[in-house]
Amino acid sequence: MATYIPPIRSANPYLPFGDQRTAPFYGKDILSVKQFGRPDLEYIFGVAHEMREMVSRVGTFDLLKGKILVNLFYEPSTRTSSSFTSAMERLGGSVIPINEVRYSSVSKGESLPDTVRTLECYADVIVLRHPEVGASALAAQYARKPIINAGDGVGEHPTQALLDLFTIREELGEVEGLTVTMLGDLKYGRTVHSLARLLSMFNVRLHYVSPAILRMPPEILEEIRQKGIQQTEHETLAEVLPQTDVLYITRVQKERFTDLDEYDSVKSAYIITPDIMAAAKEKMIVMHPLPRVGEISMDFDADPRAAYFRQMEYGLYVRMALLAMVLGKA
Ligand code: NCD
């Protein structure tokens, strides 16, 4: 006997399954977390929940059957590109991977606007990672199809911040009232730029721990200050670890340094070990967008507070939700 599989319900009760005319994100670009408000986050996370349930129940289903995504990556990626591929394929769609722009016409000198105008002839949505701040916004100016920013240099990484926030909610149940400590390369780490902005929509306390040369950019501090959020900067973790509910660690972004001696001077500034974590709460989580290059000792991985592997799985559901939304199916 065939089992009945109910269709994906949208977070919007008025949106019949698959009716793109009323899907609020239909055809939209995802360029920065600044474009979202609290109701949007609720909506995205509602759809992500549905996706999680569907994946656990049926694995793959045909919500985006016949749709095509281009993964256009001008910088290296493991998690972002493969999770978007998995997300699209679990929704029944397919993917054109351009992970090595060296082998595409980009190496002949083709401009980004021309490359996206080419690829959108063959696809319904473009996921773009590029080394320059604002590259996705530029691409979106030229493209008719949705552009999803998968990292624009040291600028933003909005889909990562959404999955980070989803992780916090799933793991701790609530964002309001939390103390979040960001540690490591806060200057060049785009994930923390997006996450700090997103968190500033909630009543949170933010601590930034970094070497002096890798502090959070002043314009982001100012933006968050204007939202009335309490922020403090530190050079040592011990000052803030005991109060921390979410410890968000980042890699020192070697590829952004012009002076490698400077990189060497800060690359091992912080290393999280079980010993250090003895001073932290019992109920708290440690996150990292990954890859890690020594900031968290593998000895800590078995600790229930280590959420970085679970964080990647939450990313799949959030990216499935975003694809379904911009393609008018949720
Ligand atoms: C991050 C990135 O690319 O910004 N990785 C990711 O998308 N998970 C973090 C990093 O590279 O350090």
Side-chain angles (χ1 to χ4, degrees):
M1 198 179 72
T3 17
Y4 171 68
I5 299 165
I8 280 277
R9 270 171 289 125
S10 164
N12 175 351
Y14 304 105
L15 176 62
F17 173 64
D19 183 352
Q20 60 190 37
R21 288 163 306 178
T22 46
F25 286 82
Y26 174 52
K28 296 242 169 84
D29 303 304
I30 297 175
L31 304 177
S32 160
V33 292
K34 291 184 204 168
Q35 75 193 71
F36 300 116
R38 287 278 291 264
D40 298 322
L41 300 179
E42 293 308 317
Y43 192 96
I44 294 166
F45 297 154
V47 180
H49 266 287
E50 299 285 341
M51 295 298 179
R52 183 183 191 176
E53 214 177 297
M54 287 299 280
V55 170
S56 81
R57 237 185 309 157
V58 296
T60 297
F61 49 105
D62 278 345
L63 190 64
L64 296 184
K65 190 177 166 64
K67 299 289 183 191
I68 299 173
L69 171 152
V70 171
N71 255 340
L72 176 59
F73 279 63
Y74 290 72
E75 283 188 340
S77 169
T78 303
R79 270 149 292 271
T80 307
S81 65
S82 57
S83 66
F84 267 113
T85 299
S86 174
M88 195 61 183
E89 292 189 353
R90 285 201 179 276
L91 291 166
S94 54
V95 180
I96 301 174
I98 307 190
N99 292 326
E100 255 307 353
V101 287
R102 256 189 305 147
Y103 298 117
S104 73
S105 284
V106 170
S107 67
K108 300 179 189 169
E110 186 167 65
S111 69
L112 181 63
D114 282 3
T115 303
V116 297
R117 281 181 292 191
T118 305
L119 294 170
E120 71 178 353
C121 299
Y122 313 133
D124 302 289
V125 54
I126 298 175
V127 174
L128 173 68
R129 170 170 290 186
H130 195 281
E132 281 160 38
V133 175
S136 299
L138 175 72
Q141 269 175 33
Y142 288 90
R144 289 170 290 120
K145 307 273 173 73
I147 298 286
I148 299 181
N149 180 2
D152 60 333
V154 301
E156 280 220 33
H157 195 346
T159 68
Q160 177 73 43
L162 290 169
L163 78 88
D164 291 340
L165 192 64
F166 187 63
T167 301
I168 295 172
R169 276 187 24 156
E170 294 297 295
E171 294 273 323
L172 298 175
E174 173 69 290
V175 181
E176 290 296 332
L178 294 181
T179 297
V180 179
T181 300
M182 299 186 179
L183 173 84
D185 186 346
L186 307 182
K187 177 178 180 188
Y188 298 125
R190 55 193 170 201
T191 68
V192 281
H193 299 167
S194 290
L195 183 59
R197 286 182 169 123
L198 208 50
L199 284 169
S200 72
M201 291 181 209
F202 297 82
N203 176 27
V204 292
R205 182 176 305 207
L206 297 177
H207 298 306
Y208 308 117
V209 183
S210 72
I213 59 167
L214 297 178
R215 287 166 61 184
M216 188 63 98
E219 62 279 10
I220 297 181
L221 292 176
E222 178 53 23
E223 218 180 290
I224 289 166
R225 193 192 62 75
Q226 284 180 10
K227 299 259 184 73
I229 300 295
Q230 259 196 58
Q231 321 171 78
T232 59
E233 294 185 274
H234 308 265
E235 281 192 39
T236 56
L237 177 62
E239 296 163 43
V240 289
L241 185 59
Q243 315 72 287
T244 295
D245 299 301
V246 177
L247 177 60
Y248 191 99
I249 303 169
T250 61
R251 165 181 76 91
V252 179
Q253 310 272 305
K254 183 177 184 182
E255 67 274 31
R256 314 285 180 213
F257 283 74
T258 41
D259 176 354
L260 279 185
D261 288 339
E262 202 169 66
Y263 166 73
D264 283 333
S265 75
V266 287
K267 69 176 183 204
S268 308
Y270 308 100
I271 298 171
I272 297 302
T273 61
D275 267 2
I276 288 178
M277 290 305 295
K281 291 183 181 179
E282 205 175 303
K283 185 173 180 251
M284 58 86 70
I285 52 170
V286 176
M287 297 174 65
H288 193 309
L290 303 176
R292 64 173 156 187
V293 286
E295 313 80 48
I296 307 176
S297 145
M298 279 177 72
D299 300 342
F300 184 67
D301 294 352
D303 191 299
R305 295 170 295 178
Y308 29 94
F309 296 118
R310 300 191 291 274
Q311 190 180 346
M312 289 189 276
E313 189 185 323
Y314 293 124
L316 173 69
Y317 310 130
V318 169
R319 287 177 172 139
M320 287 174 78
L322 294 172
L323 290 175
M325 290 166 68
V326 300
L327 292 171
K329 295 289 184 183

